[in-house]
Amino acid sequence: KLWNAARFAEMNGVFRDWNYDPVAARVTVNRWIAGETSRTRDVVTRAIEEHKYSEAAGALYQFVWNVFCDWYLELSKVVLNDPKASAAAQRGTRRTLVQVLESLLRLLHPITPFITAELWERVAPVAGRKDAGGVAGIVNAAYPQAQLQRIDTAADAWVAQLKAVVGACRNLRSELNLSPAQRAPMFAIGDAGFVDQAAPLLKALARLSDVQHFADDAAFAQATALAPVAVQGNVRLALHVEIDVAAEH
């Protein structure tokens, strides 16, 4: 996972940008991962101080596997590959990606020393943590400190809703026996702001061909009359799949 994450960062053109302030990251998923990183730093540091090394290792595994790689990297791919995304959004995503990765390598180093030392030599110069050609290694670098002020509760709630809607779409795909290659449009009603903002991410992560928001209950009910409807928070959603009535008979 770590090798792949570093390779992904390299392939997507992360670069040294001294004028970029990570606190200025405005893309919701970047604010979310910054907060998750700080939470993990805090949990790991306290576990190590209390000599609870298995808890420290478990928190790091959870963050690397389930938060950073399974979710953030997939979300960042959408931003970086979206032709409609602004240059500022893509710049912020690249910088957030490499800064979180570099910090993660320092956080992991006491537990997984060899792979983190190898990757840090490649990532740290790009992240601005080490001068290219410098002799000081990761063992000389400061251990990451929790910055709990970076936690953004609004971003947390937004990403939690995104995950819930993606999960609902995946459940509906399974219920409708859709193959992984088959894309279907999602019909939704409620929380138009969230649905519109999340549409590119939902299309990628839930394998949707389109996201269509309805403002009228009657129109949504008619469009989804033959489809199972899921409810996530203020959003009701369904996948629109054409049914071959003759084939069903």
Side-chain angles (χ1 to χ4, degrees), residues 73-83 85 90 200-201 204-205:
L73 290 187
E74 295 304 315
L75 294 169
S76 66
K77 285 178 187 177
V78 180
V79 178
L80 295 175
N81 294 323
D82 184 358
Q90 293 183 337
L201 300 170
L205 298 179

Side-chain angles (χ1 to χ4, degrees), residues 156-180:
D156 288 347
W158 194 92
V159 172
Q161 185 174 8
L162 174 70
K163 289 181 177 181
V165 172
V166 169
C169 288
R170 290 172 176 172
N171 289 338
L172 290 174
R173 290 182 63 88
S174 177
E175 188 174 341
L176 294 168
N177 293 318
L178 297 182
S179 71

Side-chain angles (χ1 to χ4, degrees), residues 37-249:
T37 303
S38 287
R39 281 195 184 95
T40 302
R41 289 176 178 178
D42 184 51
V43 170
V44 171
T45 299
R46 285 190 287 107
I48 290 175
E49 288 174 348
E50 296 169 7
H51 306 289
K52 297 177 180 178
Y53 303 113
S54 63
E55 290 186 13
L60 286 166
Y61 181 90
Q62 161 71 16
F63 180 79
V64 172
W65 196 275
N66 296 324
V67 178
F68 183 64
C69 292
D70 279 2
W71 278 103
Y72 181 67
L73 290 187
E74 295 304 315
L75 294 169
S76 66
K77 285 178 187 177
V78 180
V79 178
L80 295 175
N81 294 323
D82 184 358
K84 296 182 181 179
S86 69
Q90 293 183 337
R91 176 193 184 191
T93 300
R94 289 190 182 96
R95 296 309 303 158
T96 300
L97 167 60
V98 75
Q99 287 166 350
V100 170
L101 177 59
E102 187 277 328
S103 170
L104 178 58
L105 293 174
R106 285 184 286 129
L107 200 62
L108 278 163
H109 186 64
I111 295 175
T112 53
F114 300 108
I115 187 172
T116 51
E118 176 70 21
L119 289 175
W120 192 80
E121 291 298 324
R122 298 167 59 184
V123 173
V126 180
R129 178 63 60 173
K130 173 185 177 179
D131 291 331
V135 296
I138 192 171
V139 294
N140 303 111
Y143 197 68
Q145 301 298 310
Q147 297 173 297
L148 297 181
Q149 72 276 13
R150 298 287 303 278
I151 293 173
D152 186 322
T153 55
D156 288 347
W158 194 92
V159 172
Q161 185 174 8
L162 174 70
K163 289 181 177 181
V165 172
V166 169
C169 288
R170 290 172 176 172
N171 289 338
L172 290 174
R173 290 182 63 88
S174 177
E175 188 174 341
L176 294 168
N177 293 318
L178 297 182
S179 71
Q182 186 175 356
R183 292 180 177 267
M186 183 187 88
F187 292 168
I189 188 168
D191 204 342
F194 167 79
V195 173
D196 290 343
Q197 184 182 356
L201 300 170
L202 291 170
K203 288 171 69 174
L205 298 179
R207 302 192 65 78
L208 304 173
S209 60
D210 192 22
V211 174
Q212 183 175 344
H213 185 267
F214 288 75
D216 180 68
D217 274 316
F220 177 78
Q222 181 178 3
T224 61
L226 300 178
V229 175
V231 180
Q232 288 295 339
N234 296 327
V235 179
R236 283 179 287 154
L237 60 114
L239 300 184
H240 180 67
V241 180
E242 296 291 344
I243 299 175
D244 188 333
V245 178
E248 291 295 324
H249 286 296

